[in-house]
Amino acid sequence: MNINSTVISGFQALNDLSYLLQGKEKALLVTDKNIEGIPAVQSLIAQLKQQISSLSIVNSVPPEPSQHDVAAIVAALPSTDVDLVIGVGGGSVLDVAKLLSILCVDGAPNLDALLAGEKPQTRTTSLLIPTTAGTGSEATPNAILAIPEKETKVGIITPVMLPDYVALVPELTTSMPPHIASSTGIDALCHLIECFTATVANPVSDNYALIGMKKLFASLETTIAEPGNLEARLNMLWASYYGGASIAHAGTHLVHAMSYPLGGKYHLPHGVANAILLAPCMRFVRPAAVSKFAQAYDLLPDADATLDEEAKSHALVEYFAALVKRLKLPASLEELGIGPDHLPYLVEAALDVQRLMKNVPMKVGADDVRNVYLTLFPALNH
């Protein structure tokens, strides 16, 4: 899969978009109410209004949107006749913007058809601007929607959704509260380490994953400790972008498969669900990925070069567990009010995500998935 997006990056990279807006008359800006209030977004809107004759703004994208939310947004659009779709926000906003870039084309498949697997042929011009450093949605061919009736999430996947332009602008991420910066950062880390160790990993995805992990390990905790550090924030935006590019060329596996039911049924934020599962899932797959884990460990700023591969692979898993703890993210389902009585449902729903389960670098059965979930109920383990 080729990612042909033009990436604009750096401080104040949005200050002059006239070159990109030339010849565009009708734009649709997709965001949410919180993001809309950020000063840099306000100046972007002012710039758009100056240069484009018709600008519609959708600011009602909820976190973890369902297919009903997207259908309602489409139904409420004053017109689907637009020649530019701009998404500004976290992964949910960007996913919805990607879908709208397809749904705003005459004769395109409607949302139900996309969910049923029909492949679109084209989309309108799109610009995606992430305000969190985590999902990498701006570099993936995926849009993830909640399906409340089935208490799960599904991905609409087509390279047609990859945008024309991406802007990685660090000042747009400074309004993220620390817990959001932490959980979205762990989401990016999951994309990178899962794609790096997946059965579908390849030299292209490996290259993206290694560059992304190096940036992430060096910058994630700095962005939490120093919210105004724009260099660290730009590094995190790139780490997140590389995580998305890794997904576009490979695919995630166990963490994401097991986190889908936690988001679908219990509405846990995606990054939080991934954070809880990161160390337990990586502990399980480690024996099948010793060499890859050792390579990832070597990217840590304080890696111990004297360790052998086996020891490095163990040390990486311990680093993941300690990182989630330092970022003050939950480490068990019990502290989130989900009890062990939910295990049968969770196991079945996770195994159902075959699209990702087939990427796990070793055989995974119901007992394995159950055992990993069991580690999230410390009371049972004493």
Side-chain angles (χ1 to χ4, degrees):
M1 184 177 300
N2 289 327
I3 300 178
N4 293 319
S5 310
T6 298
V7 183
I8 306 153
S9 101
F11 178 57
Q12 296 188 340
L14 294 177
N15 280 12
D16 179 15
L17 289 179
S18 52
Y19 63 95
L20 192 153
L21 301 173
Q22 272 169 5
K24 304 291 179 212
E25 291 177 3
K26 297 171 182 171
L28 173 63
L29 179 76
V30 185
T31 186
D32 67 39
K33 286 191 177 64
N34 291 336
I35 300 297
E36 195 182 6
I38 297 174
V41 177
Q42 283 294 307
S43 27
L44 171 66
I45 292 170
Q47 190 185 161
L48 293 171
K49 284 181 172 165
Q50 239 177 348
Q51 299 190 39
I52 287 180
S53 51
S54 158
L55 175 67
S56 306
I57 297 179
V58 169
N59 62 6
S60 55
V61 179
E64 322 274 337
S66 72
Q67 89 269 38
H68 307 300
D69 295 320
V70 176
I73 286 169
V74 174
L77 287 176
S79 159
T80 53
D81 175 21
V82 296
D83 49 19
L84 175 63
V85 172
I86 303 167
V88 187
S92 297
V93 165
L94 299 187
D95 281 7
V96 171
K98 288 195 288 193
L99 287 170
L100 290 173
S101 72
I102 286 172
L103 297 169
C104 285
V105 171
D106 267 354
N110 64 17
L111 186 59
D112 288 338
L114 291 175
L115 283 164
E118 192 176 326
K119 294 299 180 196
Q121 299 307 308
T122 183
R123 59 160 166 73
T124 193
T125 305
S126 61
L127 161 64
L128 298 183
I129 308 169
T131 59
T132 61
T135 66
S137 172
E138 68 281 359
T140 76
N142 311 354
I144 308 297
L145 293 179
I147 309 293
E149 294 78 1
K150 296 185 178 167
E151 297 184 326
T152 188
K153 293 178 167 187
V154 300
I156 294 171
I157 301 168
T158 165
V160 172
M161 281 195 291
L162 286 162
D164 299 275
Y165 303 99
V166 171
L168 303 179
V169 186
E171 62 270 29
L172 279 182
T173 68
T174 54
S175 63
M176 262 193 299
H179 70 281
I180 302 283
S182 299
S183 63
T184 54
I186 293 290
D187 187 24
L189 175 51
C190 291
H191 297 160
L192 293 160
I193 190 66
E194 285 179 271
C195 290
F196 188 53
T197 53
T199 53
V200 286
N202 56 73
V204 177
S205 62
D206 282 359
N207 196 28
Y208 283 130
L210 288 164
I211 297 170
M213 281 189 284
K214 189 171 173 66
K215 287 182 180 296
L216 186 142
F217 293 149
S219 306
L220 174 55
E221 291 184 87
T222 309
T223 61
I224 313 296
E226 307 167 23
N229 186 324
L230 293 180
E231 188 185 352
R233 287 194 174 273
L234 185 57
N235 271 330
M236 277 306 297
L237 278 166
W238 274 110
S240 173
Y241 179 85
Y242 283 126
S246 302
I247 292 174
H249 289 90
T252 57
H253 55 81
L254 195 59
V255 176
H256 274 73
M258 291 181 64
S259 83
Y260 270 9
L262 292 174
K265 185 178 175 75
Y266 308 101
H267 307 298
L268 281 192
H270 179 63
V272 172
N274 284 350
I276 292 172
L277 285 158
L278 172 60
C281 287
M282 290 302 126
R283 196 167 281 122
F284 172 75
V285 301
R286 185 203 63 79
V290 170
S291 169
K292 284 272 180 99
F293 272 32
Q295 274 180 275
Y297 171 81
D298 284 336
L299 301 171
L300 294 173
D302 55 354
D304 178 353
T306 64
L307 300 178
D308 63 15
E309 280 201 338
E310 184 77 11
K312 284 177 179 177
S313 71
H314 283 288
L316 183 72
V317 175
E318 293 323 311
Y319 168 81
F320 289 154
L323 176 64
V324 168
K325 203 171 181 173
R326 285 198 301 275
L327 293 175
K328 300 185 173 63
L329 290 164
S332 79
L333 288 176
E334 277 164 339
E335 59 191 280
L336 297 165
I338 300 168
D341 50 320
H342 295 276
L343 268 170
Y345 163 77
L346 287 169
V347 172
E348 190 184 345
L351 286 170
D352 216 24
V353 191
Q354 273 307 304
R355 173 174 76 83
L356 302 182
M357 279 294 185
K358 67 179 195 304
N359 297 340
V360 182
M362 61 207 293
K363 274 187 80 68
V364 190
D367 284 349
D368 301 314
V369 173
R370 188 172 188 276
N371 288 337
V372 174
Y373 276 131
L374 268 174
T375 63
L376 309 181
F377 300 103
L380 296 181
N381 303 321
H382 291 309

